[in-house]
Amino acid sequence: MATNGIKAFSRGLAESLVLGKKLNMTFKEIAQKLLVDMVAFTIQLVIQETIRNALKKDQANTEAQITNELRSQTTEMKRQAVLSLFTGGGGGFPGFANGGAVSKGKPIVVGEQGAELFIPNSSGQITQSARGTGNGGSTTVNFNINTVDASGFEELLVRSRGTITQLINNAVNERGSKNLI
């Protein structure tokens, strides 16, 4: 921009000397050209900054999507960890395949189409559903586990390993097969 101003000043001075233009008109034209250049440059900077901010926002949105996907994958990995604990024994949650009383906040196993972990909001009664004859076939056992944090989740799994195994064995036995463990 400074180079353009020097060129305009030199050209204006030359035109004033050679062509007889008035010097005050030449300086006015130089000032107008410099002002136009400065306004154009300022507009260019504003546009560039707007584009940079839009790109940063897009990048932040992309990073948020990646973070959410990683959280989802972590949740799925936790579910898979529960399944891997089904080969051990000792302790755990009681099952209610034959019905029974339940207490508020105490985890129990229920489910018509496979075992499900249930934590009741109030005390109540589980009644036995009408089951098939137990002639074998595939058995599906589902658990839903809610925890506050990952360490609570891991502690829950360690404490419940035996119950989870027992629930799976009960489900398999109901279908007419032998225990898995």
Side-chain angles (χ1 to χ4, degrees), residues 23 41-42 44 49 117 146:
L23 198 54
F41 184 72
T42 303
Q44 177 184 351
E49 191 62 28
L117 186 63
N146 297 319

Side-chain angles (χ1 to χ4, degrees), residues 34-150:
L34 286 176
L35 186 59
V36 167
D37 285 346
M38 289 180 357
V39 170
F41 184 72
T42 303
I43 291 171
Q44 177 184 351
L45 289 177
V46 168
I47 291 172
Q48 287 174 340
E49 191 62 28
T50 301
I51 291 171
R52 274 190 210 105
N53 288 339
L55 291 174
K56 286 179 186 177
K57 187 175 181 180
D58 285 345
Q59 183 179 3
N61 289 339
T62 301
E63 288 173 1
Q65 289 172 344
I66 290 169
T67 300
N68 288 337
E69 181 62 28
L70 289 173
R71 284 186 183 133
S72 175
Q73 290 174 1
T74 301
T75 300
E76 184 58 30
M77 288 170 59
K78 288 177 185 177
R79 288 184 184 133
Q80 294 299 321
V82 170
L83 294 176
S84 71
L85 291 176
F86 290 158
T87 58
F93 300 112
F96 285 81
N98 296 322
V102 297
S103 300
K104 177 181 179 180
K106 205 168 181 187
I108 60 168
V109 177
V110 298
E112 300 82 27
Q113 297 178 355
E116 300 172 303
L117 186 63
F118 174 65
I119 302 173
N121 291 331
S122 62
S123 297
Q125 184 71 27
I126 300 290
T127 55
Q128 183 178 12
S129 65
R131 300 230 181 244
T133 59
N135 291 331
S138 65
T139 302
T140 302
V141 179
N142 295 313
F143 293 93
N144 293 320
I145 298 175
N146 297 319
T147 63
V148 176
D149 58 13

Side-chain angles (χ1 to χ4, degrees), residues 7-17 21 23 26 30:
K7 285 182 183 178
F9 178 78
S10 301
R11 181 161 183 90
L13 193 55
E15 286 177 358
S16 177
L17 292 173
K21 285 187 172 181
L23 198 54
T26 301
I30 292 171

